[in-house]
Amino acid sequence: MKRALLIIDYTDDFIADEGALTVGKPGQDLHAYILGLAEGFYGAGDYLAFMVDEHEPDDPYHPETQLFPPHNLAGTPGQEMYGDLQKFYESIQDSPQTLHRMKTRYSAFAGTDLFIKLRERQINELHLVGVSTEICILHTAIDAFNLGFKVYIHQEGVASFSAEGHEWALNHFRNVLGFAVI
Ligand code: ZN
């Protein structure tokens, strides 16, 4: 178990038509790819980390409160995985190969025990999917860069509200972080 798949914010609030802060169709188009990748990693004995945004309503101290409409509020259905990924997650949630963590910042490493879990398992290689490319994927990738991980960004597994932001981030992964975009 030396690889991990990080599934970042692939939740109803970020993906579903009725989601509170939805990427919409570009996000929905990732569904089959992410589900297939998750099944593949699990079948190969690799580690899966479902990293999920979480906010309190109208939190006056949270920097996102001024920037975005309320989303992924604690305990709401908007935090569930989108589509069939939720069923898949439920089928493996008790496995030692599965991690599910709430995060309150863009990076999946900020304020979570993700790094400790990866180090315990001597996992050096991370595969990133989810949304959005130039926000939570980017900030997670920068932390992974600073922590010395080898990182693969799956082009068919990431999307954004902004086509321009998406392309900019893919170039940044390749040309500034030196990560493989596959
Ligand atoms: Zn958020």
Side-chain angles (χ1 to χ4, degrees), residues 9 14 21 53-55 62 64 68 71-72 103-104 106 136:
D9 288 334
F14 284 111
L21 185 56
D53 211 17
E54 177 158 282
H55 297 290
H62 199 290
E64 284 180 41
F68 300 108
H71 59 278
N72 272 46
K103 64 182 184 67
T104 66
Y106 302 136
C136 291

